[in-house]
Amino acid sequence: DADADSDADADPEPGHARDIQPIWDTNCTSCHGGASPSASLDLSTDAYDDIVGVASGQASSMNLVTASDTDNSYILNKLWGTQADVGGSGDQMPRGMTPLGNATISQVFGWIGDGAAR
């Protein structure tokens, strides 16, 4: 069946452990990790349960990550620097560092849009 072959060749849906956790590890855990993570947000080890479906704490109407809903995922606004536009506060992340590039933010956006798989 040709359809089955094309499905087998398709890229797997992005997953947190494989595709997103390495972004946090590289760019975020120096502040959002360890014994007392900034803003009580620990992005080290496996951050999935700490961000998906969890209230942002800054923008009261948003979760950090709302699966399949990029418009209501506050973490994207923090990465884009648009947090004030959605009622949030603080600085663009990662604070004090070069903002993440479009390709990296697109990975996070795609993961959320595709359902924020583990």
Side-chain angles (χ1 to χ4, degrees), residues 15-87:
H16 182 267
R18 182 187 65 241
D19 301 303
I20 304 304
Q21 188 63 48
I23 294 171
W24 306 152
D25 291 344
T26 301
N27 301 287
C28 308
T29 58
S30 62
C31 295
H32 293 286
S36 55
S38 182
S40 298
L41 176 60
D42 187 353
L43 293 176
S44 63
T45 315
D46 180 3
Y48 187 89
D49 290 332
D50 296 321
I51 61 173
V52 177
V54 175
S56 74
Q58 289 184 352
S60 61
S61 64
M62 291 184 155
N63 288 333
L64 286 168
V65 171
T66 302
S68 301
D69 190 350
T70 54
D71 289 340
N72 286 300
S73 293
Y74 186 64
I75 205 161
L76 289 170
N77 288 281
K78 289 296 278 189
L79 296 176
W80 285 323
T82 57
Q83 64 278 2
D85 298 344
V86 296

